[in-house]
Amino acid sequence: MNARVSAVPSVALAVAQPPLPPPPPPPTTLRGRSFADVYQSVMQRSGEMLPDQVVHVADLRMTPEGNITLPGALCYRINDHAKRQISSLLGLRWEKWFGSASGEERAEEVNRRFQRTPGEKKIRAWVDRDGQADGVARAFLAPTFTPIDDARLFDRMNTMLRGLLDEYRFTAVQFTDSTTHYTAVHTEAFDLDGELLHPGFHLRNSEVGASALSLDDHWMRLVCLNGLMVRVGGKRSLYRTHRAIEDDQLAAALVIAVGRLPERWAPAFAWMQSAKKITVPHPDDAVAAILGDSAEVPKAMLEEAQRVVLRDGDATRFGVVQAITLVAHQTNKDPDVRFAMERLAGDYLVATPNSV
């Protein structure tokens, strides 16, 4: 007699997970923060800044815990940007030299070099939210360094441009240890063959000397939220190194930069229209030519952009630009790398022959 075999579910089936839900549909309306909301955030953040301290380098000391003590018994932790500046100041290769060293050994070497280094430094610091020290050192700068802080920028914008900026939405506000990034686009969009493109600006600043103050023309593709920076006429809307400037002059520079953006949108849009009609024989080689010489773009980002441009199959100049900006937005997480990729893609777009 044949034994009856009952069906037993496999372990694989028993633990199988339900299928993942489909990805959300692409946005159809512009979302973002108002200028008033971003302004309040900037002013609140500025309230956490401590007064700058100008000290002789020889008077600084590092503790075994890795903190820096200043004259007057102030004790600061240091962030990554400040650590890089100390390494450069003292001629250190921090990670290589101190990777296996004890805190005492590290402090001994750093303090020996502090004592032998002449001159003064201006130390900028935040309040230490964790309460582990009196503050968090964010930069060691020349005593004469005169930063244009974000709070000052937004205060001038609030006074002179608030009504105009009500027409924009801030789609990204990002901070690193050394830079700040504010991306805003206009609520009115351009229609490029059924795709909505919102023009606007990208404001980058550094309160610790890592970059100049700049305001660039910015375009956002609504369907994927990609960004692109374009230099119309080969010029940025605003570029200024950090040095002394009166409030009235700063306000005037911002008013001019933001006020002339709309007149720059038409030629940039024409380049995009032309770029959609021009085929690129080898789009992956075009990506390499655009990004390959940049020290700011990691090789992994270049290679991913090459893969994306071949995967998506858009072998036009516009397709090359979109592949780079898609990777800059979705794969990369560093705002400064994104800034570099979007700027380089914009330079490539500007070189498009205008056939419209």
Side-chain angles (χ1 to χ4, degrees), residues 140-352:
F140 292 76
L141 303 160
T144 55
F145 177 74
T146 306
I148 304 173
D149 288 333
D150 287 7
R152 191 176 174 207
L153 286 172
F154 275 78
D155 181 65
R156 294 295 86 201
M157 293 165 72
N158 185 57
T159 301
M160 303 297 296
L161 288 164
R162 181 169 50 188
L164 179 59
L165 289 173
D166 285 343
E167 301 174 359
Y168 290 79
R169 290 294 175 268
F170 283 76
T171 56
V173 175
Q174 297 172 300
F175 308 117
T176 72
D177 280 344
S178 57
T179 55
T180 52
H181 297 258
Y182 304 90
T183 305
V185 296
H186 201 274
T187 53
E188 296 295 327
F190 284 68
D191 190 322
L192 182 62
D193 298 335
E195 292 189 38
L196 296 182
L197 303 176
H198 287 266
F201 64 86
H202 182 100
L203 177 67
R204 181 172 79 157
N205 194 30
S206 175
E207 300 175 330
V208 293
S211 74
L213 163 64
S214 62
L215 190 146
D216 291 280
D217 300 64
H218 182 90
W219 288 78
M220 187 190 76
R221 187 184 183 200
L222 183 61
V223 69
C224 56
L225 304 181
N226 289 1
L228 175 71
M229 278 180 277
V230 182
R231 301 188 193 191
V232 177
K235 295 181 180 180
R236 309 172 83 162
S237 294
L238 174 64
Y239 183 87
R240 183 179 178 86
T241 57
H242 288 266
R243 60 185 186 276
I245 182 173
E246 298 293 332
D247 281 348
D248 289 346
Q249 291 177 292
L250 180 60
L254 290 166
V255 168
I256 292 171
V258 176
R260 68 184 176 189
L261 286 175
E263 69 188 47
R264 297 161 64 92
W265 294 341
F269 185 67
W271 286 322
M272 295 183 200
Q273 290 176 303
S274 295
K276 292 201 75 171
K277 301 175 182 178
I278 300 175
T279 301
V280 179
H282 302 285
D284 55 332
D285 289 343
V287 169
I290 295 165
L291 302 180
D293 292 333
S294 174
E296 301 168 284
V297 180
K299 185 179 178 181
M301 294 296 103
L302 184 158
E303 293 174 346
E304 178 64 10
Q306 288 181 303
R307 188 188 71 80
V308 168
V309 77
L310 294 176
R311 179 201 68 189
D312 291 351
D314 185 351
T316 65
R317 290 182 71 93
F318 189 78
V320 171
V321 167
Q322 290 305 310
I324 292 173
T325 57
L326 181 69
V327 171
H329 176 73
Q330 294 188 355
T331 303
N332 162 70
K333 302 302 180 185
D334 186 332
D336 290 311
V337 172
R338 180 178 300 117
F339 181 89
M341 294 178 72
E342 291 181 351
R343 177 178 53 81
L344 291 168
D347 291 345
Y348 175 74
L349 178 72
V350 169
T352 300

Side-chain angles (χ1 to χ4, degrees), residues 92-106:
L92 295 170
R93 300 177 67 181
W94 198 282
E95 301 302 331
K96 184 173 182 179
W97 289 14
F98 301 141
S100 59
S102 68
E104 288 76 10
E105 291 170 329
R106 178 183 57 201

